Amino acid sequence: MGPRRAPKETIMATERTLSIIKPDATNRNLTGKINAKFEDAGLRIIAQKRIHLTPAQAGQFYEVHKERPFYSELCEFMASAPVVVQVLEGENAIAKNREVMGATNPANADEGTIRKEFALSVGENSVHGSDAPETAAQEIAFFFSGLELVG
């Protein structure tokens, strides 16, 4: 009989992800309610600022969607009013953030998610979140310098 080994533990990765509270939500003063959902899920807000994107800045940020039919409407919407950009940190933050946000279409989102509770439509869906570690790193760098990340 060999030495006893501890059971394999699932390694949880501390990650950072970008979150944007979109114009439909900032216009309705939902920033605090949305942030409470992130914090209740164990995510920490380690950087945050309220900004008003220009159409050009929104276009640059969403360049990955440039060929999609909704691109110009998305850029126009994102530049229509202030947004809150923030960095969330926590165990498996990317997946956890996406779970808290809910499905893009609020009609398909689970009860208790941000989009189920607050989104107005597929386009005005209250929040954006990074979808992978690579995009999270790019999106965070788009809005924040390293000095602003104070986890």
Side-chain angles (χ1 to χ4, degrees), residues 19-28 31 34 62 74 77-78 81-84 104 115 122-129:
S19 167
I20 302 176
I21 301 176
K22 294 180 177 182
D24 64 291
T26 61
N27 279 339
R28 291 178 290 144
T31 302
I34 289 172
Y62 284 108
L74 173 63
F77 167 62
M78 291 300 290
V83 297
V84 174
T104 302
R115 289 177 172 152
V122 174
E124 293 181 306
N125 61 19
S126 300
V127 285
H128 164 92

Side-chain angles (χ1 to χ4, degrees), residues 97-120:
N97 178 38
R98 296 186 71 75
E99 182 182 312
V100 172
M101 288 191 308
T104 302
N105 183 343
N108 301 332
D110 291 339
E111 290 299 326
T113 62
I114 292 167
R115 289 177 172 152
K116 188 66 163 188
E117 289 188 29
F118 304 124
L120 299 175

Side-chain angles (χ1 to χ4, degrees), residues 50-121:
R50 184 180 181 95
I51 60 174
H52 196 144
L53 294 169
T54 66
Q57 289 167 329
Q60 185 181 356
F61 180 76
Y62 284 108
E63 185 137 11
V64 66
H65 297 305
K66 194 170 186 127
E67 303 305 318
R68 310 278 298 268
F70 60 81
Y71 174 74
S72 61
E73 188 179 337
L74 173 63
C75 295
E76 187 178 311
F77 167 62
M78 291 300 290
S80 69
V83 297
V84 174
V85 293
Q86 54 196 11
V87 180
L88 307 177
E89 183 179 75
E91 299 300 320
N92 296 314
I94 295 166
K96 189 174 287 185
N97 178 38
R98 296 186 71 75
E99 182 182 312
V100 172
M101 288 191 308
T104 302
N105 183 343
N108 301 332
D110 291 339
E111 290 299 326
T113 62
I114 292 167
R115 289 177 172 152
K116 188 66 163 188
E117 289 188 29
F118 304 124
L120 299 175
S121 66

Side-chain angles (χ1 to χ4, degrees), residues 35-53:
N35 282 339
K37 287 191 172 288
F38 293 137
E39 292 177 335
D40 289 348
L43 295 167
R44 292 180 61 229
I45 300 167
I46 64 163
Q48 181 184 67
K49 55 188 165 186
R50 184 180 181 95
I51 60 174
H52 196 144
L53 294 169

